Amino acid sequence: RDRMVDFNDTAEKIGRQIRMSDSAPGAPWELEGHKVFLYNARVHMEDANVNQDTPGTVIGVLDGAVRIACTQGSIWVTHMKMPWQGLQAPAHQTTRHADSTKRSPCWFPKVRNTVHL
């Protein structure tokens, strides 16, 4: 059964869901219309009560990880995988290839900041 990650939940709950799926196949999510699998989540609760970003929006990139807004807090994801990829890759590299037919360049025009883990 496909348990798609829903970022309209708290970072803690989403973090648990991703960690439970960490081995195989990963936690499924749809990013810009493309299915990806998420691995290695780290909860970021510093801004838990003042999150102004739309849940599911990539709001940061750092050292290969991407930060994704949740309803409460955010999640850093270090690795992702497209269904056609054999191995997990750093999250920012996977998103560069989200269009499996065109291998389009990375799309993070809406990222507003880069913060430290």
Side-chain angles (χ1 to χ4, degrees):
R1 182 180 158 174
D2 207 23
R3 296 179 308 179
M4 195 69 66
V5 173
D6 181 4
F7 282 92
N8 288 306
D9 218 326
T10 67
E12 289 178 352
K13 184 173 180 183
I14 295 166
R16 282 193 304 271
Q17 179 182 358
I18 294 171
R19 285 189 299 274
M20 286 188 320
S21 303
D22 236 9
S23 57
W29 179 47
E30 189 171 303
L31 175 62
E32 300 283 330
H34 302 281
K35 186 174 184 177
V36 297
F37 294 96
L38 308 178
Y39 303 88
N40 303 326
R42 183 171 178 178
V43 175
H44 187 90
M45 295 300 290
E46 180 179 296
D47 52 0
N49 297 318
V50 292
N51 195 354
Q52 298 175 342
D53 300 296
T54 304
T57 302
V58 175
I59 58 173
V61 180
L62 179 67
D63 296 332
V66 295
R67 184 178 176 198
I68 305 168
C70 306
T71 299
Q72 187 178 39
S74 59
I75 293 284
W76 281 100
V77 175
T78 64
H79 289 78
M80 293 184 187
K81 181 179 91 160
M82 300 296 294
W84 50 264
Q85 286 179 307
L87 300 172
Q88 302 171 23
H92 78 288
Q93 288 180 3
T94 302
T95 54
R96 281 192 193 124
H97 302 290
D99 185 334
S100 63
T101 58
K102 297 180 185 172
R103 305 290 199 268
S104 61
C106 186
W107 71 85
F108 285 131
K110 299 175 190 170
V111 174
R112 65 172 166 75
N113 63 5
T114 301
V115 295
H116 297 283
L117 292 170

